[in-house]
Amino acid sequence: MANVWESVALRGGMISLGDVWRHRDRRPCDGLVVTTTSDGAVIHRAGQPVPDITPLRATARTRGRTLHIGPGVALSEVGAFVASLPMDMRPANYTVAPGVRT
């Protein structure tokens, strides 16, 4: 069941997916970390600096739901993580940095 306060807070721009994942203790596979951003989250290699991102424009439905994928991260790792999430916790938008592995 969707968490109502999270949905309302996401639409209102008060939180983003990174906050939701941290609150619900959702983490990607070993070697990857998630950093909260104003428009969602960035997933990147542990021990690497958080990559620069450009926040995306959003609608009320997509606000706070962008996942930025950093260099060196494999798309298969992101796919496995996102597939493990309930529908209400999945990203609506993605950006992919140069150097992302396929």
Side-chain angles (χ1 to χ4, degrees), residues 29 32 43 45 69-80 99-102:
C29 65
L32 297 179
I43 190 168
R45 287 266 160 232
I69 304 167
V73 175
L75 292 179
S76 60
E77 294 170 311
V78 175
V100 168
R101 301 183 331 220
T102 55

Side-chain angles (χ1 to χ4, degrees), residues 17-42:
L17 275 183
D19 300 309
V20 172
W21 295 342
R22 184 176 57 249
H23 179 260
R24 293 218 218 159
D25 200 28
R26 297 297 183 124
R27 295 186 182 102
C29 65
D30 288 340
L32 297 179
V33 294
V34 171
T35 301
T36 299
T37 64
S38 63
D39 69 335
V42 59

Side-chain angles (χ1 to χ4, degrees), residues 1-98:
M1 180 171 164
N3 191 317
V4 174
W5 76 263
E6 288 173 354
S7 296
V8 170
L10 278 166
R11 281 193 308 271
M14 295 176 273
I15 64 172
S16 69
L17 275 183
D19 300 309
V20 172
W21 295 342
R22 184 176 57 249
H23 179 260
R24 293 218 218 159
D25 200 28
R26 297 297 183 124
R27 295 186 182 102
C29 65
D30 288 340
L32 297 179
V33 294
V34 171
T35 301
T36 299
T37 64
S38 63
D39 69 335
V42 59
I43 190 168
H44 56 97
R45 287 266 160 232
Q48 297 295 315
V50 178
D52 291 330
I53 58 111
T54 302
L56 297 181
R57 289 180 170 247
T59 65
R61 187 184 70 71
T62 63
R63 188 173 291 118
R65 294 180 176 274
T66 298
L67 179 58
H68 302 277
I69 304 167
V73 175
L75 292 179
S76 60
E77 294 170 311
V78 175
F81 173 59
V82 171
S84 75
L85 299 170
M87 292 302 290
D88 65 327
M89 291 175 62
R90 292 184 181 179
N93 300 310
Y94 297 85
T95 67
V96 179

